[in-house]
Amino acid sequence: MRQTANRLKPFFENINFEREDNTMMVNFGPQHPSAHGQMRLMLELKGEEVVKATPGIGYLHRGMEKMGENMIYNEFLPTTDRMDYIASTSNNYGFALAVEKLLGIEAPRRAEIIRTMLLELNRIMSHLFWLATHALDVGAMSVFLYAFREREYAMDLIEDYCGARLTHSAVRIGGVPLDLPDTWCEDLERFITNFEKEIDRYEGLLTENRIWRMRLENVGVIDEKLAKSWGCTGIVLRAAGVKWDLRKEMPYGLYPELDFNVPIASTGDAYGRYKCYIQEMRETAKILRQLIPMYKGSESSLMAHAPEYISAPKEQIMTQNYSLMQHFVLVTQGMRPPKGEIYVATESPKGELGYMIVSDGTPYAYKMKLRAPSFWHTGVLEEMLPGHQLADVVTIIGNLNIVFGEIDR
């Protein structure tokens, strides 16, 4: 009991529970449904105004980085699904790309096209989940129903490819496990056509809605200086006027070949972030349209040819003795990357998702560190919440698009 008290001491040492003024301490979460995960937010209130905010994380104890250091590389890849579980493919891809850079291999073009399709479809799913839950937090029930309906259609496409709807594991180190089903591209095109019309519906319900604007405008303002000082990325940074998208600034995969814009805003408030999310969904639909003809004109190879690190195709494993032995060693013992250190960052739906891997030449990473955007966007609450009303706290937390699965270390 004494050890537990000592561990909690740094969290509570700046909080005075005994006071003679008119302020009051309130626990917001971790049970509150609008806390969007395992966050305890200590609010010091003067009436309805927030005087001080102390976000406390650590209510999800999985040790994701240590798990990555105690699993062989291929074994850890499905575990990354459980970080930002709303955008599983972005976690898979970021880790696979980091290991590929460490190995010095590249995925075949067809595999990279499929990966990008899944990434951008997952971006739509993530943004729709954000829009639905954020609107519900503020009181807009209809948008929640419409957005979740379209998200289900997007999940149907993911399920048609890999058989899973939430935790996909649809990417492999070196490529992808499967080719697209026969009519998948046609289904995707129909989805995009309908989705673009639905975005107009969302905007018709929200963008000029008087209540929506009153709840979001000039609320949760994060200017450029504050965003940079707290390491904010993604739409939180772009809504502050900084045009920074890793797909453009530090391009990877097929993104240098794709034509899309990076939406920005100048207000830095919750309403500016909302408009950036809406516009980014339109740009994602534009990217998916470009990928369909690219896929149809690509060769059929799906995995990189690197026998030292990547298993041979199943046909060879079943017919060639050497390929079978190599596959057995890779599955039971794991690949052995060369000694070295790598950091690879990708643009997940929430911001910069980075993997740092240190290899000592064994099948296990000597050191692994994860750079997840939600961690930094939770920290900024401490500085941005004071001065707001209690009702605005729900709006701000939902608007920042925080998922606590990727905050866990």
Side-chain angles (χ1 to χ4, degrees):
M1 194 71 182
R2 184 177 300 171
Q3 292 177 350
T4 302
N6 289 335
R7 286 199 300 269
L8 293 175
K9 188 175 180 181
F11 178 67
F12 292 116
E13 62 184 5
N14 295 322
I15 301 175
N16 181 16
F17 290 93
E18 298 181 6
R19 44 181 26 92
E20 297 178 358
D21 54 18
N22 292 325
T23 60
M24 175 177 59
M25 296 300 301
V26 173
N27 269 314
F28 187 96
Q31 288 82 12
H32 196 293
S34 294
H36 287 268
Q38 297 73 26
M39 175 177 67
R40 182 188 187 187
L41 184 61
M42 295 291 292
L43 297 175
E44 185 176 333
L45 302 176
K46 188 173 183 180
E48 290 284 328
E49 183 182 346
V50 178
V51 177
K52 184 178 180 181
T54 308
I57 62 173
Y59 286 83
L60 187 63
H61 302 284
R62 297 179 299 178
M64 189 65 70
E65 293 169 341
K66 287 301 175 186
M67 288 170 67
E69 295 169 10
N70 287 277
M71 294 180 178
I72 61 176
Y73 291 93
N74 283 318
E75 189 179 15
F76 180 63
L77 193 141
T79 311
T80 61
D81 284 326
R82 278 76 183 171
M83 291 168 53
D84 179 5
Y85 40 81
I86 308 302
S88 301
T89 300
S90 64
N91 307 332
N92 300 157
Y93 179 78
F95 177 70
L97 189 62
V99 177
E100 287 165 8
K101 297 287 185 184
L102 190 64
L103 299 175
I105 64 175
E106 291 184 3
R109 181 172 178 82
R110 191 181 188 90
E112 202 61 64
I113 294 170
I114 295 173
R115 284 173 162 190
T116 310
M117 284 178 165
L118 298 175
L119 280 172
E120 295 305 313
L121 191 58
N122 210 184
R123 191 180 305 275
I124 287 176
M125 290 164 53
S126 177
H127 287 2
L128 285 175
F129 187 91
W130 167 84
L131 180 64
T133 54
H134 179 38
L136 189 63
D137 284 344
V138 179
M141 183 71 181
S142 296
V143 179
F144 171 83
L145 298 173
Y146 289 134
F148 255 71
R149 180 185 62 187
E150 298 313 311
R151 182 172 175 268
E152 286 294 314
Y153 294 149
M155 292 172 75
D156 288 342
L157 287 167
I158 293 283
E159 185 180 19
D160 286 345
Y161 175 71
C162 65
R165 297 176 71 83
L166 188 68
T167 51
H168 306 145
S169 298
V171 174
R172 296 291 184 272
I173 297 169
V176 291
L178 303 165
D179 204 352
L180 296 179
D182 291 339
T183 62
W184 199 87
C185 286
E186 289 73 18
D187 294 339
L188 175 62
E189 197 156 12
R190 280 194 296 272
F191 167 78
I192 296 169
T193 302
N194 184 65
F195 176 63
E196 289 172 330
K197 297 175 183 176
E198 290 300 317
I199 298 176
D200 295 335
R201 186 197 297 268
Y202 309 147
E203 286 214 89
L205 288 167
L206 294 178
T207 303
E208 298 302 327
N209 185 296
R210 182 166 59 93
I211 299 175
W212 181 255
R213 296 189 67 165
M214 288 172 62
R215 292 297 304 274
L216 268 65
E217 286 183 332
N218 299 317
V219 171
V221 176
I222 302 178
D223 59 22
E224 181 178 342
K225 181 180 178 182
L226 182 63
K228 289 181 176 179
S229 66
W230 278 93
C232 296
T233 53
I235 284 180
V236 176
L237 180 62
R238 294 194 285 273
V242 182
K243 197 170 186 178
W244 181 263
D245 187 316
L246 292 173
R247 296 174 296 172
K248 287 282 190 181
E249 305 303 327
M250 301 172 64
Y252 53 90
L254 293 178
Y255 288 109
E257 303 177 34
L258 299 171
D259 176 30
F260 64 99
N261 299 315
V262 178
I264 62 170
S266 58
T267 55
D269 61 357
Y271 189 70
R273 290 190 285 274
Y274 155 74
K275 295 192 78 172
C276 284
Y277 272 108
I278 290 292
Q279 189 56 38
E280 189 165 289
M281 286 194 283
R282 297 187 190 278
E283 295 299 320
T284 300
K286 186 195 300 184
I287 290 173
L288 287 169
R289 284 195 183 279
Q290 296 172 59
L291 289 168
I292 293 173
M294 293 171 66
Y295 168 79
K296 293 178 178 178
S298 62
E299 297 181 356
S300 60
S301 181
L302 298 176
M303 291 291 289
H305 179 70
E308 188 178 355
Y309 307 119
I310 308 296
S311 291
K314 187 174 182 180
E315 293 78 6
Q316 295 183 24
I317 294 173
M318 299 298 290
T319 57
Q320 299 179 13
N321 190 39
Y322 176 77
S323 296
L324 177 62
M325 291 189 296
Q326 172 233 9
H327 174 69
F328 178 80
V329 171
L330 287 174
V331 170
T332 56
Q333 299 180 20
M335 66 180 75
R336 295 176 180 268
K339 294 181 180 180
E341 179 178 329
I342 193 75
Y343 175 77
V344 172
T346 57
E347 188 72 27
S348 83
K350 294 171 178 61
E352 180 181 336
L353 175 63
Y355 289 85
M356 191 276 284
I357 303 173
V358 179
S359 169
D360 59 356
T362 66
Y364 301 90
Y366 176 76
K367 190 70 176 176
M368 184 179 296
K369 295 294 288 183
L370 311 178
R371 198 272 182 210
S374 292
F375 180 83
W376 307 93
H377 297 164
T378 303
V380 76
L381 290 170
E382 180 178 338
E383 193 164 340
M384 66 184 296
L385 285 182
H388 287 89
Q389 298 296 302
L390 178 60
D392 294 332
V393 173
V394 173
T395 301
I396 292 169
I397 293 175
N399 189 263
L400 286 179
N401 199 6
I402 297 167
V403 167
F404 273 75
E406 66 178 10
I407 292 177
D408 158 54
R409 291 294 183 275

